[in-house]
Amino acid sequence: MISRRLVSGSLLTLLAFVAISYAQQPFMNAARTDLQQARAQLNAATHNKGGHRTKAIGYINSAIAEVNAGARFDRRHNHAQISFGTVANTTADQPHMQRALANLRQAKSNLERATNDKGGHRVKAIGYVNSAIDQVQKGIDAGD
């Protein structure tokens, strides 16, 4: 018969491990936040950007999926890292597009600073972020 203490202790240990493994991925978590903020800015931007805004959102969604997959891979393989992120600046022209671009650049920086390959997902996410950056820049160039 398993004691209640053993079960409670095991459950607490498991919860602590999950919390620690999540906290040990600061750059991946920061990149996900940056990507989500970039997507929110693009969703708030005017829609007439020559199709580039929509393509950028698609790339961001793909990058978020890769960041999530990389974080899951990392948790399964217990790769730890500790560091701190930075805050991106914005400009006044086309504010949503500019803020999205700043968020994407910050996400790229966080992904580049993340340790380990995350099963190849980190590199794929960087590729999607680069594509999203390109599309947002083209959207800015296309104007309203």
Side-chain angles (χ1 to χ4, degrees):
M1 178 175 239
I2 299 175
S3 74
R4 290 178 89 162
R5 266 193 175 152
L6 180 61
V7 171
S8 295
S10 297
L11 183 58
L12 285 174
T13 302
L14 177 63
L15 290 173
F17 175 75
V18 169
I20 289 168
S21 68
Y22 183 80
Q24 290 177 336
Q25 300 184 56
F27 294 119
M28 295 298 277
N29 294 332
R32 182 185 307 109
T33 299
D34 294 330
L35 290 165
Q36 290 166 337
Q37 290 173 349
R39 181 176 56 195
Q41 290 299 322
L42 290 175
N43 282 327
T46 57
H47 292 242
N48 187 15
K49 304 292 180 193
H52 301 293
R53 184 190 65 84
T54 301
K55 287 179 185 176
I57 291 170
Y59 288 126
I60 290 169
N61 289 336
S62 296
I64 290 170
E66 291 298 333
V67 167
N68 290 338
R72 283 190 306 271
F73 178 91
D74 208 37
R75 281 192 298 273
R76 283 192 308 269
H77 295 85
N78 197 24
H79 296 140
Q81 63 182 12
I82 299 174
S83 189
F84 300 96
T86 58
V87 177
N89 292 325
T90 62
T91 62
D93 187 41
Q94 297 192 49
H96 294 297
M97 296 295 282
Q98 292 292 341
R99 282 191 290 262
L101 189 59
N103 291 133
L104 287 167
R105 288 180 176 150
Q106 186 61 41
K108 180 180 176 181
S109 173
N110 281 315
L111 287 168
E112 288 172 339
R113 292 168 51 195
T115 59
N116 304 312
D117 185 41
K118 317 291 188 217
H121 299 290
R122 184 182 66 86
V123 172
K124 287 180 183 177
I126 290 170
Y128 288 127
V129 170
N130 283 334
S131 296
I133 287 170
D134 182 55
Q135 290 300 314
V136 170
Q137 189 61 60
K138 287 179 181 177
I140 290 169
D141 295 343
D144 292 329

